[in-house]
């Protein structure tokens, strides 16, 4: 069935091949583009207004130089200016409406097993390429802007009142609000690790009286990287344990206690040991408690 390739086995997990960019990210990106567009439009209108003012001043100077103008000429110029202003406003409104229509993103353009439509509909094929480039731009915005900005907010959390998540559930909700999928835990962990390394390097430079590096006002909270690592291990362990439970037709799932206990022991242990070594370690532990 072709639907098996696009329908996720569970809606509770965001590991889905169909859409890898969250709607929160798309909304934030569109709002950012609109704000940039409005700022550019305001700048253009301001420049046009200044240019128009300069033209009017120049005309007044020329009229004064020739001894004034007739009322008919004056009225004609005023009408032309009003007409130009009206046309300019209409053009800006049309440009704004057209730009807003362009902010419709198709983030599912990289679905697998899709047949090329180049020979069927050239316009649709060209639009597909535009959608692909927009999706890539969205991904670059997520990678280069959104996640570094989140890391910076975490560093400044003690000063800006940002509440850092305390468990996996709140962590997932927290990054989803920023438009970040859980698959990017690794990227967030890399950024957090770099911030911690920068803090350590700055502290060593301060001890050595090296003025090239300065301590930042707020340190990177160590709990952020620890939480990310714990969540990554927990999610990976869930998938591994699930594969064990499904092996040989799900034999282990009939009596899961031993499989789960053995798996968790292997997961949290510091190393492998034989049964005799385990007995000796437990005996020493009991003696120490007695």
């Amino acid at each position: 069935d072709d639907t098996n390739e696009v329908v996720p086995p569970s809606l509770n997990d965001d590991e889905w091949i169909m859409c890898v960019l969250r709607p929160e990210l798309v909304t934030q990106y569109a709002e950012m583009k609109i704000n940039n567009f409005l700022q550019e439009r305001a700048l253009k209108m301001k420049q046009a207004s200044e240019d128009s003012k300069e033209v009017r001043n120049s005309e007044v100077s020329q009229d004064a130089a020739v001894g004034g103008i007739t009322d008919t000429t004056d009225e004609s110029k005023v009408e032309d200016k009003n007409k130009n202003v009206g046309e300019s406003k209409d053009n800006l409104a049309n440009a704004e409406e057209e730009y807003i229509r362009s902010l419709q993103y198709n983030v599912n353009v990289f679905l697998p097993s899709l047949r090329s439509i180049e020979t069927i509909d050239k316009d649709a094929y060209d639009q597909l390429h535009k959608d692909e480039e927009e999706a890539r731009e969205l991904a670059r915005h997520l990678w280069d802007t959104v996640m570094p900005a989140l890391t910076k907010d975490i560093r400044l959390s003690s000063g800006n009142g940002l509440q850092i998540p305390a468990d996996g559930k709140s962590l997932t909700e927290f990054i989803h609000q920023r438009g970040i999928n859980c698959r990017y835990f690794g990227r967030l962990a890399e950024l957090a690790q770099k911030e911690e390394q920068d803090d350590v390097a700055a502290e060593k430079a301060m001890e050595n009286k090296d003025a090239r590096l300065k301590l930042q006002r707020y340190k990177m909270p160590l709990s952020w990287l620890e939480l990310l690592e714990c969540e990554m291990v927990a999610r990976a362990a869930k998938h591994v344990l699930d594969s064990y439970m499904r092996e040989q037709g799900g034999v282990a799932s009939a009596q899961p206690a031993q499989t789960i206990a053995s798996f968790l022991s292997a997961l949290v242990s510091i190393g492998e040991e034989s049964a005799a070594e385990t007995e000796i370690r437990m005996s020493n532990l009991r003696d120490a408690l007695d």
Side-chain angles (χ1 to χ4, degrees):
D1 190 356
D2 294 339
T3 59
N4 291 333
E5 296 185 359
V6 295
V7 177
S10 172
L11 294 178
N12 294 326
D13 195 341
D14 66 346
E15 295 180 2
W16 185 8
I17 64 171
M18 194 167 181
C19 179
V20 296
L21 298 174
R22 295 194 60 82
E24 296 92 342
L25 174 67
V26 177
T27 301
Q28 294 170 11
Y29 184 73
E31 290 177 350
M32 181 197 71
K33 298 268 283 188
I34 290 175
N35 288 334
N36 293 340
F37 174 79
L38 293 177
Q39 290 176 2
E40 292 177 1
R41 191 188 70 166
L43 185 61
K44 290 180 181 179
M45 292 180 65
K46 181 180 179 182
Q47 185 64 39
S49 177
E50 292 177 353
D51 293 342
S52 177
K53 185 177 180 180
E54 291 179 0
V55 170
R56 288 196 300 269
N57 293 336
S58 176
E59 291 176 350
V60 170
S61 300
Q62 292 176 0
D63 294 338
V66 297
I69 58 174
T70 64
D71 294 340
T72 304
T73 305
D74 188 33
E75 291 176 359
S76 176
K77 287 188 176 183
V78 170
E79 290 177 358
D80 290 340
K81 290 175 184 177
N82 291 336
K83 183 179 179 181
N84 292 335
V85 170
E87 291 178 352
S88 177
K89 289 182 178 179
D90 291 339
N91 292 335
L92 288 172
N94 293 335
E96 181 179 352
E97 190 174 328
E98 182 179 352
Y99 184 78
I100 291 176
R101 281 199 302 268
S102 70
L103 299 177
Q104 298 177 0
Y105 303 113
N106 178 13
V107 294
N108 296 320
V109 292
F110 296 107
L111 284 174
S113 306
L114 287 181
R115 188 179 66 173
S116 175
I117 60 173
E118 183 176 8
T119 58
I120 301 174
D121 190 335
K122 187 65 169 60
D123 293 337
Y125 180 75
D126 293 339
Q127 182 62 45
L128 180 65
H129 274 276
K130 292 180 181 179
D131 292 341
E132 288 178 353
E133 187 54 38
E134 284 289 354
R136 291 189 181 96
E137 189 63 32
L138 263 168
R140 285 191 286 268
H141 174 70
L142 171 65
W143 189 269
D144 298 330
T145 304
V146 176
M147 288 189 279
L150 173 60
T151 303
K152 182 179 179 180
D153 289 343
I154 293 296
R155 172 184 280 278
L156 301 176
S157 59
S158 57
N160 59 18
L162 179 67
Q163 184 68 36
I164 298 179
D167 54 29
K169 181 180 179 181
S170 59
L171 172 63
T172 302
E173 294 174 351
F174 178 74
I175 66 170
H176 281 178
Q177 291 172 357
R178 299 294 187 104
I180 304 173
N181 280 319
C182 294
R183 60 173 49 84
Y184 295 111
F185 278 142
R187 167 67 170 165
L188 293 173
E190 289 178 354
L191 293 171
Q193 188 176 43
K194 182 179 182 303
E195 293 293 328
E196 292 184 7
Q197 291 172 352
D198 291 344
D199 288 340
V200 172
E203 289 178 356
K204 290 182 178 180
M206 186 176 181
E207 292 175 358
N208 298 329
K209 297 182 179 180
D210 188 351
R212 290 177 298 176
L213 293 176
K214 295 183 179 180
L215 282 174
Q216 297 195 39
R217 182 175 182 180
Y218 300 106
K219 292 185 62 177
M220 189 68 185
L222 302 180
S223 59
W224 175 244
L225 178 58
E226 293 175 355
L227 180 59
L228 291 171
E229 290 174 341
C230 287
E231 188 64 17
M232 285 189 289
V233 171
R235 285 173 174 264
K238 179 187 70 173
H239 290 292
V240 174
L241 180 59
D242 183 65
S243 66
Y244 288 159
M245 302 297 286
R246 293 174 181 270
E247 283 183 351
Q248 299 178 354
V251 175
S253 61
Q255 295 180 340
Q258 182 177 357
T259 302
I260 295 175
S262 299
F263 177 80
L264 293 178
S265 296
L267 179 65
V268 300
S269 63
I270 59 175
E272 296 184 8
E273 59 185 13
S274 63
E277 290 172 336
T278 302
E279 182 61 31
I280 294 174
R281 179 171 58 81
M282 295 302 296
S283 178
N284 293 337
L285 180 60
R286 286 192 294 268
D287 292 342
L289 292 175
D290 292 341

